[in-house]
Amino acid sequence: MQTATPRQPESVAPPKPIPLAPSIDLPERRRYRLKNALLGQPLHTDQLVHERLGKPTALAVFASDNLSSVAYGTEEIITHLVPYIGLAAFAMVMPITIALLVVLGFLILSYRQTIKAYPSAGGAYIVTRDNFGLLPAQVAGVALLTDYVLTVAVSVAAGTAALTSAASALTPYAVLIAVAFIVIIAFGNLRGVKESGRIFAVPTYFFIATMVALLVVGFSRMFFGHLPVQSIHKPGMIPAGHGGNGFLMGATLFVVLRAFASGGAAVTGVEAISNGVPAFRRPEWKNARSTLVVMGSTLGAMFFGLSWLDAHLHVNAYAKGTPTVISQIGKVVFGSGPLGHVLYFALQAGTTLILVLAANTSFADFPRLASFHAGDNFMPKQLTKRGHRLVFSNGILALSAASIFLVVITQAKVDRLIPLYAIGVFTSFTLSQAGMARHHIKEKEEGWRRGLFINATGAVLSLVVDVIIAITKFKPAGAILGAWVIIVLVPIMVYALTRLNKQYEAEAAELEGDAKAAAEAPILRRHVVLVLVDGLDRSTARAMQYARTLTPDDLRAVHVAYDADHAEKLAEEWRRLGLARFPLELVDCPDRRITRGVLEVVAEALDGQTEVTVLIPRREYRRFWHRLLHDRTADSIASAVSQLPHANVTFVPYHLGTEHQPEVHA
Amino acid sequence: MTPLAKLRKRREEPEPQVDDWTEMCRDTVPVADVEWRSRARVAGRVRSLRVQPWAGVPTLEGTLVDDTGGISVVFLGRRHVPGIRPGTKMVIEGMVGDHAGRLAILNPDYRLLAVHD
């Protein structure tokens, strides 16, 4: 080798070896640069870390949805009692609250079982899928998904109400504020708000602290001082009915059950911890369990206390939903002194914050659940993709769109949303608890009888609550939206998802069938390349240049002669081309159907032994409206031609408006 | 002749093109009946035409089709035959040989149907 090379002049040194460039220098598109500016630099896949949370932080992260329910739980009970039984409502608040606390207690016991049995991910979807199969899991999942949407809508609406209670000037802009909250939360989640404790801990504990202050001050004044009983007939409040003499059993039972069903919203959010067990410090399931109990007790205590205060104070709800019951109680309890004012505004701030945070919980859970569905081929695959910042961006967008829609159509009114709420959660509670009961029967692990009893009771209780909700809130008087929306929507969605699943499965079966044999099939003998030509221009020249690198057995340009004079002109130009070296075929096309003409030429070239490649020069436009100036003939030709077996289409791009010089005479 | 009579006369005259074409098609055979290595006279429409650039061997090649099939028509030594364009109707006559594996008539006698614009 060395001897064969002619002697080099001394001055010419051989080129130094250079390392590869660290990255390929391609300009990024403007859209991507905008994305980077908005969302921050893309996160590396390795940065997908699972932060381990200590119990106090975990409580803050997972409890916001659950604890925030206190903000509207009591109010919902009152709203549904006062119009029918008047002052007697305040005697019924406590029994209903206690009944709900019993449900809460059983749910917590049940979920303690779930956490132990499914320490990796114990969402209703997984538990139901493992024990009952895919179809019931879809029901549980869809029910839960609709409820996540409602959680966002309800929490944001309630948070807005808390804000407008404190600052009544903002009341006309409630819808706008609610939508803005959703947009902000969605934006934060797209950027990837980590489930980082500090962000959550502050509002959650702040809320708990203000609630404790409210209850301590309230009860001390109640027992050792004087708390004035409020009038329930202030202007703007919901009108009080007359209970009449004693309880009219039938009608009143319905009223009470409906109040119970509405208050059921207060115990939602219990499932959050069981979804996030892996985020706890070791031993995960034990920490998760104790956190669950602490969360449940906190919720229970706050709910109980608030209802008691309300029962004593006779605070009625306003028809507009603002000022809220909790804000009125705060005003009465804290009084009108300067300290009282500070505490009152702290309470409102805490309530707003935790409600907005509760909406945020759904933004963590909805995309994850949707990705489970999609992973099992029951939802569009796009939902499994992690986006720019490692979050399920498409799920976040879907959730925001759905919840904004709900907030707008209900005008951000909590009491219009509540009838839709909770039914989904209790459906998924029922399914997952029944799943757990089945799990105990199958596994027969130590102490399974006790577990079976707990979960079976939990399932039955959830089912009862679910049925009560479905019946009493089916269509509230004077409202269009009610539980019926969910009852209709869930089966439709489940059906749609199973259709989607069939489609995915069929596609997969077709694509995977005999893939190995297909990969080893012999290639066809001939290759014909046809370059579609409309006129002799640069984009065509680029395609011709590319075509010649393919060195096929037969290479032709094809022009469909929809206009004889144009064809003649083109033929003349072609004849004068010196070195293009391949012929142009003019195809008669008396009916001007260019696509059909191309199809015929391609079909003629296909003989079972030939692969045909059709090269289509395509102009790429810099602005989308430039494209609107032209028709999409190239695309329709491509889709028609590629339907023929062994006919393949390649677009040869020509970028308009760039310094692009095709080497025609290479 | 009055204008009216002129008009009437023109009306009575048959469509010249169709008549010419029927006239031209006399004694032709359908493409499907053409036999290799025998003389044939066929009528049809030029479905496609190949244009060679200067650098190639001067050849004009086309496909003539009727309702029964198609046959290659090759004019050797020519790049361009005036009047032959895609869609042109013509009658050709010649010895049937082959070209690139297909039945073909090389350098046929041809008659074009005049196009009345």
Side-chain angles (χ1 to χ4, degrees):
Chain A
M1 191 72 189
Q2 199 89 37
T3 49
T5 41
R7 181 168 292 189
Q8 301 272 321
E10 295 293 315
S11 58
V12 179
K16 269 189 196 162
I18 52 162
L20 285 173
S23 67
I24 299 161
D25 185 28
L26 282 175
E28 292 291 359
R29 306 183 65 170
R30 187 178 301 176
R31 252 180 68 188
Y32 183 77
R33 292 204 303 261
L34 186 71
K35 196 177 186 178
N36 269 358
L38 271 176
L39 300 180
Q41 292 296 315
L43 289 180
H44 200 281
T45 313
D46 297 346
Q47 286 169 278
L48 186 65
V49 284
H50 294 287
E51 201 181 350
R52 294 280 175 156
L53 303 173
K55 279 190 271 187
T57 345
L59 180 67
V61 169
F62 292 111
S64 58
D65 180 16
N66 193 230
L67 297 186
S68 68
S69 314
V70 175
Y72 46 81
T74 307
E75 173 154 359
E76 282 309 313
I77 299 177
I78 291 296
T79 311
H80 287 91
L81 286 178
V82 172
Y84 305 98
I85 56 175
L87 271 176
F90 297 99
M92 285 307 297
V93 169
M94 282 320 283
I96 290 175
T97 303
I98 289 166
L100 284 169
L101 291 180
V102 170
V103 173
L104 176 70
F106 262 99
L107 283 175
I108 285 168
L109 286 177
S110 305
Y111 268 105
R112 288 187 69 218
Q113 299 289 324
T114 313
I115 287 170
K116 193 178 174 191
Y118 289 88
S120 53
Y125 184 79
I126 307 279
V127 175
T128 313
R129 188 183 64 186
D130 273 16
N131 292 294
F132 292 121
L134 278 169
L135 191 67
Q138 300 314 308
V139 178
V142 166
L144 212 47
L145 286 177
T146 55
D147 244 61
Y148 284 143
V149 175
L150 278 155
T151 303
V152 174
V154 169
S155 304
V156 165
T160 310
L163 192 67
T164 52
S165 303
S168 52
L170 293 174
T171 311
Y173 308 107
V175 177
L176 213 62
I177 293 170
V179 171
F181 273 140
I182 296 177
V183 170
I184 292 168
I185 299 168
F187 176 70
N189 278 280
L190 283 175
R191 274 194 75 107
V193 178
K194 278 193 201 153
E195 291 179 350
S196 117
R198 254 157 283 129
I199 306 174
F200 285 82
V202 175
T204 309
Y205 284 107
F206 183 63
F207 174 70
I208 294 177
T210 53
M211 279 300 292
V212 167
L214 178 73
L215 297 179
V216 167
V217 176
F219 283 117
S220 7
R221 286 188 64 190
M222 196 165 114
F223 291 121
F224 306 114
H226 172 67
L227 267 188
V229 171
Q230 304 294 305
S231 159
I232 63 167
H233 298 294
K234 287 182 191 159
M237 280 186 162
I238 50 174
H242 300 283
N245 308 327
F247 282 5
L248 297 165
M249 270 319 285
T252 312
L253 181 67
F254 186 78
V255 166
V256 170
L257 284 179
R258 182 161 58 198
F260 171 78
S262 298
V267 303
T268 58
V270 182
E271 78 284 357
I273 287 182
S274 71
N275 286 334
V277 184
F280 281 85
R281 292 219 178 103
R282 270 169 233 284
E284 292 92 345
W285 66 273
K286 276 197 175 156
N287 286 334
R289 272 179 137 185
S290 47
T291 310
L292 177 68
V293 172
V294 171
M295 177 181 88
S297 323
T298 314
L299 170 70
M302 294 195 309
F303 188 29
F304 185 83
L306 202 65
S307 289
W308 195 353
L309 278 179
D310 192 59
H312 178 79
L313 288 172
H314 291 191
V315 167
N316 191 3
Y318 276 91
K320 273 194 303 182
T322 157
T324 57
V325 166
I326 185 171
S327 126
Q328 294 182 61
I329 293 177
K331 222 164 208 165
V332 176
V333 166
F334 290 136
S336 50
L339 182 64
H341 268 299
V342 171
L343 283 172
Y344 169 73
F345 281 110
L347 176 70
Q348 288 312 108
T351 316
T352 309
L353 278 176
I354 199 161
L355 282 164
V356 173
L357 212 57
N360 193 60
T361 318
S362 286
F363 274 90
D365 289 336
F366 180 99
R368 183 172 43 201
L369 178 56
S371 80
F372 285 152
H373 277 276
D376 285 341
N377 290 338
F378 277 93
M379 274 197 180
K381 283 284 175 194
Q382 292 90 315
L383 292 168
T384 59
K385 269 198 206 149
R386 285 184 187 272
H388 195 69
R389 302 281 288 180
L390 283 176
V391 292
F392 296 112
S393 316
N394 292 323
I396 292 173
L397 294 177
L399 175 60
S400 335
S403 50
I404 287 176
F405 173 75
L406 264 182
V407 164
V408 170
I409 62 165
T410 56
Q411 292 294 300
K413 292 224 165 71
V414 180
D415 62 322
R416 285 196 201 165
L417 285 162
I418 287 286
L420 303 168
Y421 196 36
I423 182 163
V425 163
F426 277 96
T427 306
S428 73
F429 282 164
T430 309
L431 279 165
S432 78
Q433 295 316 322
M436 279 306 297
R438 180 111 191 260
H439 177 84
H440 291 306
I441 295 170
K442 272 195 310 194
E443 298 289 320
K444 297 214 180 358
E445 79 282 4
E446 203 184 326
W448 68 279
R449 282 170 214 279
R450 195 171 149 270
L452 176 62
F453 170 73
I454 290 171
N455 284 123
T457 316
V460 170
L461 220 51
S462 311
L463 183 66
V464 169
V465 177
D466 209 18
V467 170
I468 291 176
I469 295 174
I471 294 171
T472 58
K473 302 206 293 185
F474 188 75
K475 188 183 173 307
I480 302 162
L481 299 177
W484 67 269
V485 176
I486 305 298
I487 295 170
V488 171
L489 195 66
V490 169
I492 291 176
M493 278 186 61
V494 169
Y495 174 74
L497 296 195
T498 45
R499 277 289 299 131
L500 198 76
N501 175 254
K502 264 190 200 150
Q503 181 59 29
Y504 272 128
E505 303 277 315
E507 274 174 24
E510 183 182 339
L511 283 173
E512 281 158 22
D514 292 331
K516 192 165 174 288
E520 287 168 356
I523 59 165
L524 300 189
R525 275 194 304 147
R526 272 167 55 81
H527 183 199
V528 173
V529 172
L530 305 173
V531 184
L532 294 192
V533 170
D534 187 44
L536 204 54
D537 59 17
R538 278 198 168 175
S539 67
T540 315
R542 170 75 197 98
M544 285 160 61
Q545 182 192 30
Y546 169 67
R548 277 154 55 205
T549 66
L550 296 177
T551 56
D553 300 293
D554 188 9
L555 173 57
R556 276 181 274 160
V558 173
H559 172 73
V560 178
Y562 52 90
D563 176 340
D565 293 335
H566 178 67
E568 187 65 25
K569 216 179 111 211
L570 176 64
E572 197 50 49
E573 281 180 306
W574 197 269
R575 280 186 204 103
R576 278 197 244 114
L577 271 185
L579 295 153
R581 291 196 198 90
F582 58 92
L584 167 72
E585 187 162 309
L586 299 174
V587 181
D588 185 33
C589 175
D591 53 3
R592 299 163 309 284
R593 289 163 65 202
I594 298 177
T595 307
R596 177 77 198 171
V598 176
L599 265 184
E600 280 175 6
V601 176
V602 175
E604 203 184 345
L606 289 166
D607 54 9
Q609 287 295 329
T610 306
E611 291 278 0
V612 175
T613 301
V614 178
L615 297 186
I616 304 180
R618 186 162 66 172
R619 301 167 201 167
E620 304 290 340
Y621 304 99
R622 276 206 305 177
R623 302 258 188 281
F624 92 97
W625 64 268
H626 291 174
R627 189 177 343 156
L628 299 181
L629 303 177
H630 303 271
D631 63 9
R632 314 287 306 233
T633 317
D635 295 308
S636 65
I637 291 173
S639 65
V641 167
S642 56
Q643 281 172 18
L644 298 171
H646 294 290
N648 312 284
V649 177
T650 304
F651 285 114
V652 184
Y654 181 84
H655 288 269
L656 286 162
T658 54
E659 295 299 314
H660 187 96
Q661 301 282 343
E663 294 279 318
V664 184
H665 300 287
Chain B
M1 208 185 277
T2 61
L4 191 69
K6 235 187 211 167
L7 195 68
R8 190 172 294 142
K9 186 166 189 313
R10 197 183 290 163
R11 246 197 208 159
E12 282 160 3
E13 275 175 0
E15 280 283 313
Q17 205 173 322
V18 172
D19 198 47
D20 284 357
W21 183 237
T22 336
E23 178 67 30
M24 280 168 67
C25 289
R26 188 170 295 163
D27 299 329
T28 60
V29 294
V31 172
D33 295 348
V34 166
E35 279 176 38
W36 190 36
R37 290 178 175 171
S38 62
R39 243 187 126 68
R41 181 182 162 87
V42 292
R45 177 175 64 87
V46 176
R47 191 177 67 189
S48 67
L49 206 60
R50 278 190 188 197
V51 180
Q52 296 286 350
W54 277 117
V57 183
T59 314
L60 183 70
E61 191 189 331
T63 308
L64 189 78
V65 293
D66 67 4
D67 296 340
T68 64
I71 188 168
S72 289
V73 187
V74 183
F75 294 93
L76 294 168
R78 306 187 69 166
R79 290 179 203 283
H80 179 56
V81 176
I84 298 188
R85 310 208 297 189
T88 304
K89 285 186 165 183
M90 64 179 186
V91 175
I92 58 170
E93 186 174 354
M95 198 64 177
V96 180
D98 65 302
H99 183 79
R102 302 238 173 122
L103 282 184
I105 300 182
L106 275 61
N107 291 336
D109 293 336
Y110 63 93
R111 259 188 83 195
L112 305 180
L113 176 71
V115 181
H116 300 276
D117 285 320

